[in-house]
Amino acid sequence: MRTTEHLEENVAEGSYASVYAAGALCWRVKKKKLEVLLIHRQRYDDWSWPKGKLDKGETLPECAVREVYEEVGLPITLGIPLPSIRYAVKPGLKEVHYWASSVDDMPAMADGKEVDAVLWCSPNKARGLLSNPSDVEPLEALVAAHEAGSLSTWPLIIIRHAKAKPRSAWTRAEGERPLAATGKRQALYLQRLLMSWHPGRVYTSGWMRCISTISPYAQATKAKVKVVSWLTEADHKRQPAKVEAVLEKLMTRNSATAVCTHRPVLPTVLDTLAKHMPDDMAHSLPYLDPHLSPGEVLLVHMSQEIPGRIVALEQHKPFED
């Protein structure tokens, strides 16, 4: 399972790579054959994948989407995560995170600045053209997923609400407890992060801290929001089986969907998800309390070819002051 964090602190401390970047392997199936999109950069005279450096305050998924649009004009939605690669650069070590992205027949066009040519080709031809040998690793993962029938997916996004005011400092109804100042900033950060998958529907607990967490995204995108009482702490405590039923129904939707709920509800959510994935994947679920931090996201990639089958997981850390 891929885990991403707010990386600026890590870069400053030098605990990881010196340079972070992100991109995507755009793919399509034409005449029943898999094709991938390569770019040629005149500055380096090399063939590679669309990618670029992380901007300050940007999430890795945001960076991947932005770079693909800037370099080849494709407004992508991210699919399954692919292996990240590392290689030496002048500042030290560069780490590039990749996702697969289905683009069907959308036209790609070189930006004429960094990129002077684009090429759709077979994976075999791409192996021969790629200038950086490490770029082959995400390609092999993409091909393996295609052969396994797990490349075409849709995202189910589980969100723990952003940081709320402490229970000890709140004297009114628990369902009215609002977000703390940090939580409000986490909600804005979450708005940008979710744009990488564009969930058209959001299912949420009706308690204020959940509603406030998803409001910036819903207002920015006009996503449809449905309040589900079983996702509150109180209703889940009375009938946890109702949460399982909600999740089971959502896993049949076949379209990008987000769910916002509370820490005490997450064990039931995770147990339900575990039934739809291989055991080794289930072992990587965040079962230890608190499961997810306030504002953290667990992204589940559901197979389009095999309904109800989970083929990949991602975990995205929240914004921290």
Side-chain angles (χ1 to χ4, degrees):
M1 177 170 66
R2 173 178 287 177
T3 301
T4 65
E5 303 177 12
H6 191 61
L7 291 169
E8 292 174 14
E9 294 178 1
N10 295 330
V11 174
E13 296 171 359
S15 56
Y16 293 102
S18 301
V19 179
Y20 287 89
L25 275 64
C26 300
W27 65 274
R28 68 186 184 187
V29 175
K30 201 156 189 177
K31 296 181 180 179
K32 300 184 179 180
K33 292 186 178 180
L34 179 66
E35 294 183 342
V36 292
L37 180 68
L38 293 181
I39 63 167
H40 183 266
R41 301 181 299 175
Q42 62 268 41
R43 178 181 177 185
Y44 303 101
D45 189 24
D46 68 351
W47 288 96
S48 63
W49 310 116
K51 67 180 183 297
K53 295 178 185 176
L54 198 66
D55 284 346
K56 185 176 180 180
E58 192 175 41
T59 65
L60 286 164
E62 280 182 275
C63 177
V65 172
R66 174 182 57 77
E67 286 289 342
V68 172
Y69 184 74
E70 288 178 357
E71 292 189 344
V72 297
L74 291 174
I76 65 168
T77 298
L78 299 183
I80 62 170
L82 300 171
S84 58
I85 65 170
R86 285 187 167 199
Y87 53 91
V89 293
K90 285 185 178 180
L93 193 66
K94 185 173 184 177
E95 182 172 290
V96 187
H97 291 250
Y98 285 113
W99 283 262
S101 180
S102 171
V103 298
D104 295 323
D105 285 327
M106 289 193 293
M109 184 177 297
D111 66 359
K113 298 175 183 178
E114 293 188 45
V115 178
D116 64 347
V118 298
L119 175 68
W120 282 104
C121 63
S122 69
N124 192 47
K125 184 171 183 178
R127 291 185 190 99
L129 285 173
L130 286 167
S131 302
N132 186 344
S134 60
D135 276 341
V136 176
E137 186 177 357
L139 173 63
E140 298 297 1
L142 184 143
V143 171
H146 175 67
E147 292 175 348
S150 56
L151 186 53
S152 295
T153 60
W154 62 272
L156 176 61
I157 305 164
I158 309 300
I159 305 164
R160 179 180 170 186
H161 68 74
K163 188 173 183 179
K165 288 190 174 181
R167 293 177 194 265
S168 60
W170 187 251
T171 58
R172 294 165 60 183
E174 179 62 14
E176 297 176 4
R177 184 156 59 97
L179 294 182
T182 295
K184 293 176 182 178
R185 289 188 283 273
Q186 288 176 333
L188 294 173
Y189 178 82
L190 184 67
Q191 172 200 334
R192 303 196 330 263
L193 179 67
L194 292 179
M195 293 290 191
S196 301
W197 298 281
H198 297 289
R201 287 181 178 270
V202 181
Y203 292 75
T204 182
S205 156
W207 286 8
M208 180 61 67
R209 51 193 181 272
C210 280
I211 295 293
S212 298
T213 297
I214 56 90
S215 286
Y217 174 77
Q219 291 172 5
T221 63
K222 308 303 181 184
K224 294 182 179 179
V225 176
K226 182 174 182 179
V227 174
V228 180
S229 63
W230 304 114
L231 293 173
T232 66
E233 291 184 29
D235 283 10
H236 167 262
K237 187 174 182 179
R238 286 193 292 269
Q239 286 190 285
K242 293 290 188 178
V243 171
E244 180 178 359
V246 169
L247 265 291
E248 291 287 352
K249 185 175 181 180
L250 291 184
M251 283 190 280
T252 66
R253 282 191 49 83
N254 201 36
S255 63
T257 304
V259 177
C260 187
T261 189
H262 309 261
R263 181 192 59 79
V265 183
L266 289 174
T268 300
V269 171
L270 297 175
D271 284 342
T272 305
L273 296 176
K275 297 174 185 178
H276 294 265
M277 65 181 69
D279 288 344
D280 59 341
M281 189 183 297
H283 291 155
S284 69
L285 287 168
Y287 272 117
L288 294 179
D289 194 21
H291 316 295
L292 298 173
S293 301
E296 190 170 3
V297 168
L298 176 67
L299 197 139
V300 178
H301 293 273
M302 307 292 306
S303 171
Q304 289 187 347
E305 295 189 23
I306 306 174
R309 178 187 175 194
I310 296 171
V311 299
L313 298 174
E314 294 180 59
Q315 201 167 322
H316 294 275
K317 298 291 184 181
F319 170 84
E320 296 289 354
D321 289 330

